[in-house]
Amino acid sequence: MIKTENKYAFALGVVFLFVCIMMIGYVIPRENFPLEIGFLALGFGGFFLAIKSNQISNIFTIGIILRGILILAIPILSDDYYRFLWDGFLSSEGINPFDFKPSELESIYQNHPYASQLISKMNSPNYYSIYPPVSQWIFYLASLSQSLLGGIIIIRLFILGFEIGTYFIIKEILKRFSIDPKRIALYWLNPIVIIELTGNLHAEGILVFFLLYAALNLAKLKDIKGGVLLALSFCSKLFSLMFLPILVLKGGKYRSAKLFIGLIPIFLLSFSPFLKLDNLGNYAQSLQLYFQSFEFNGSFFNLIRWIGFQLKGYDVVQFAGPILSLMSGVTILFISWPYQYSNRKVIFSLMALMISIYFFLSPIVHPWYIIVPFSLTLFGNFKFAQAWLFLGFLSYAFYDENLPEILKTSLIWIEYVVVFYLLKNDLKTLNAA
């Protein structure tokens, strides 16, 4: 029999979550960090109350409701949706979004109310698109509404659909490996997961679905299907290609051949409508600029940048970004090889470690990126990503011009000191994961 106080704790936790998501999703501007972090703390208070109440029988419905209240919200924390809808608009016009920078088409669509609205608010008008095929098809369908809110709602419904799929996949993985089923609540009721995916429309929600579904099928020895799903994860977010070496090495020659039978055709077919020989350089250029021109919430990069200022007197992002990317690639391959014969369960922890290393060495780590390693740690003993998901939200302080720079920088240092301390402890448990 469920204790009455547990029912009250769960109900109070859900109320706190509701208030948090409503305020951050609809009301608080990105530039007001104190209110953002205050309501997020309230949300996490509710999150822990709900989890500690041990009532998991109705969390699916609660999670749907918490996501559903964001259906009409125009994202506040991110303005990437203008680019999403622009890419979709170009596809609906028969124009390949990888062929032109938005600024190159601005004069053509200056009298088009919908298109001109998207270009005027876009944060990347001078860059070619970097969004891979799965996202592009969703953007195309969203653009058919020819409405800002309509397009947002359509993208959000797709993200919500993938989120629901992820819920059931996580449940099945937990059951397959005899892991506490209550861990599903860590993902499903997490306010940052809800806000960043369903709320802010980020494709990490699509990637997590395909990646976990692929891993589940590979664990069941369904290698061709796993390859198909893995290809779709790559076509959701290209950086997930880093997981291929460890999954190939784990399977051996025979199973890896089957995996590639499913993977290669889907990968090529997905990209073929968009990437051609004459625009492949555009895509590569945007990816290169991404690592050479932008910086946000980096860890090792921030340290290297500081050293660069001391030694050179200027920001070294153009040189450090590509070098750190190469270092992360080498490190990921180094990690993959020794664990080719590890048990299936530890693969999740290793993939979480690999993607985390990639982010640690990246100049850009947006809070929603961390959802990927966080989701992978649900099946092992790692705790660092759970803390990182909350601490990563501290980076939103950089949008608040009223806060002193020393405070913003200090918050990032606090974030990574805590994360690396927890990671050090987690690595001791890797073989037992």
Side-chain angles (χ1 to χ4, degrees):
M1 185 174 179
I2 299 174
K3 294 181 179 180
T4 302
E5 56 266 29
N6 286 349
K7 291 183 179 180
Y8 288 141
F10 184 80
L12 184 61
V14 171
V15 170
F16 286 172
L17 280 166
F18 179 88
V19 172
C20 162
I21 292 167
M22 282 291 293
M23 293 300 293
I24 295 178
Y26 284 93
V27 180
I28 303 172
R30 184 169 66 174
E31 297 77 18
N32 192 331
F33 178 73
L35 277 181
E36 282 175 354
I37 200 65
F39 277 100
L40 185 69
L42 178 70
F44 266 93
F47 172 67
F48 287 116
L49 276 175
I51 289 176
K52 293 297 183 181
S53 68
N54 290 321
Q55 298 193 58
I56 65 169
S57 59
N58 56 353
I59 67 163
F60 176 72
T61 302
I62 297 299
I64 291 291
I65 293 172
L66 292 173
R67 287 164 171 82
I69 60 178
L70 291 171
I71 286 295
L72 298 177
I74 294 178
I76 298 176
L77 295 180
S78 171
D79 55 6
D80 289 345
Y81 61 91
Y82 289 110
R83 185 57 186 256
F84 301 164
L85 296 174
W86 168 259
D87 280 9
F89 170 75
L90 289 186
S91 294
S92 71
E93 293 281 297
I95 300 174
N96 190 329
F98 295 106
D99 284 348
F100 300 97
K101 301 173 184 178
S103 58
E104 294 173 342
L105 301 175
E106 187 171 6
S107 61
I108 298 175
Y109 289 105
Q110 60 183 346
N111 295 321
H112 191 294
Y114 179 62
S116 61
Q117 178 188 24
L118 297 178
I119 292 180
S120 65
K121 299 293 183 63
M122 199 181 302
N123 60 22
S124 56
N126 297 313
Y127 299 96
Y128 294 105
S129 179
I130 60 170
Y131 298 107
V134 171
S135 294
Q136 292 293 347
W137 283 111
I138 294 174
F139 301 162
Y140 164 73
L141 294 172
S143 73
L144 298 180
S145 68
Q146 292 284 295
S147 160
L148 187 66
L149 181 58
I152 287 170
I153 291 173
I154 292 172
I155 296 175
R156 183 166 287 134
L157 289 174
F158 272 104
I159 297 290
L160 180 57
F162 282 110
E163 279 276 82
I164 292 171
T166 299
Y167 172 87
F168 289 105
I169 291 165
I170 291 174
K171 281 193 70 174
E172 188 170 348
I173 295 174
L174 293 173
K175 181 179 180 180
R176 183 173 185 82
F177 291 107
S178 302
I179 302 170
D180 185 356
K182 296 174 186 174
R183 284 200 183 186
I184 185 65
L186 294 174
Y187 182 93
W188 193 241
L189 296 183
N190 193 295
I192 292 181
V193 172
I194 296 171
I195 291 166
E196 294 290 12
L197 299 186
T198 301
N200 292 328
L201 311 178
H202 293 300
E204 276 68 17
I206 304 172
L207 163 63
V208 168
F209 168 80
F210 284 126
L211 181 63
L212 294 184
Y213 199 12
L216 176 61
N217 278 275
L218 292 173
K220 292 179 176 180
L221 306 183
K222 298 179 179 179
D223 299 313
I224 294 178
K225 184 178 179 181
V228 169
L229 293 164
L230 203 57
L232 290 171
S233 79
F234 300 159
C235 295
S236 303
K237 282 285 184 175
L238 205 58
F239 63 66
S240 63
L241 276 165
M242 74 179 67
F243 300 126
L244 186 58
I246 194 170
L247 294 173
V248 168
L249 288 169
K250 171 61 185 158
K253 292 182 179 179
Y254 175 70
R255 291 192 60 197
S256 297
K258 293 170 64 179
L259 184 150
F260 280 115
I261 289 172
L263 188 153
I264 293 175
I266 298 299
F267 186 81
L268 294 177
L269 284 171
S270 297
F271 272 97
S272 61
F274 299 100
L275 284 182
K276 313 291 182 182
L277 289 176
D278 57 350
N279 68 10
L280 191 59
N282 297 343
Y283 193 70
Q285 178 186 343
S286 287
L287 289 176
Q288 183 181 23
L289 286 170
Y290 187 77
F291 288 103
Q292 291 184 341
S293 302
F294 301 109
E295 49 193 82
F296 184 83
N297 192 32
S299 55
F300 283 105
F301 176 81
N302 279 346
L303 178 61
I304 291 173
R305 183 181 62 175
W306 180 82
I307 294 173
F309 271 115
Q310 304 307 309
L311 298 179
K312 300 289 186 179
Y314 57 84
D315 195 337
V316 296
V317 61
Q318 290 189 341
F319 310 103
I323 293 172
L324 289 174
S325 296
L326 179 62
M327 287 176 58
S328 68
V330 172
T331 306
I332 286 165
L333 288 173
F334 181 78
I335 291 172
S336 301
W337 183 256
Y339 285 93
Q340 57 181 305
Y341 300 112
S342 292
N343 65 71
R344 296 188 182 108
K345 181 182 171 185
V346 80
I347 290 294
F348 293 102
S349 294
L350 288 169
M351 288 196 296
L353 181 59
M354 291 162 65
I355 189 70
S356 296
I357 289 171
Y358 173 74
F359 290 151
F360 290 151
L361 295 173
S362 173
I364 307 169
V365 185
H366 290 297
W368 56 89
Y369 291 4
I370 306 167
I371 294 173
V372 181
F374 165 73
S375 66
L376 291 165
T377 59
L378 295 172
F379 315 108
N381 297 326
F382 282 180
K383 300 292 190 297
F384 78 94
Q386 297 175 26
W388 193 13
L389 188 63
F390 174 80
L391 293 169
F393 200 87
L394 297 176
S395 61
Y396 278 113
F398 279 84
Y399 294 107
D400 192 333
E401 296 181 355
N402 294 319
L403 297 179
E405 288 299 318
I406 185 64
L407 174 60
K408 298 175 184 179
T409 303
S410 298
L411 290 174
I412 301 304
W413 279 105
I414 291 170
E415 171 189 348
Y416 284 107
V417 166
V418 173
V419 168
F420 287 136
Y421 174 78
L422 294 175
L423 177 60
K424 176 180 70 70
N425 294 332
D426 285 341
L427 289 174
K428 298 175 184 177
T429 71
L430 180 59
N431 292 327

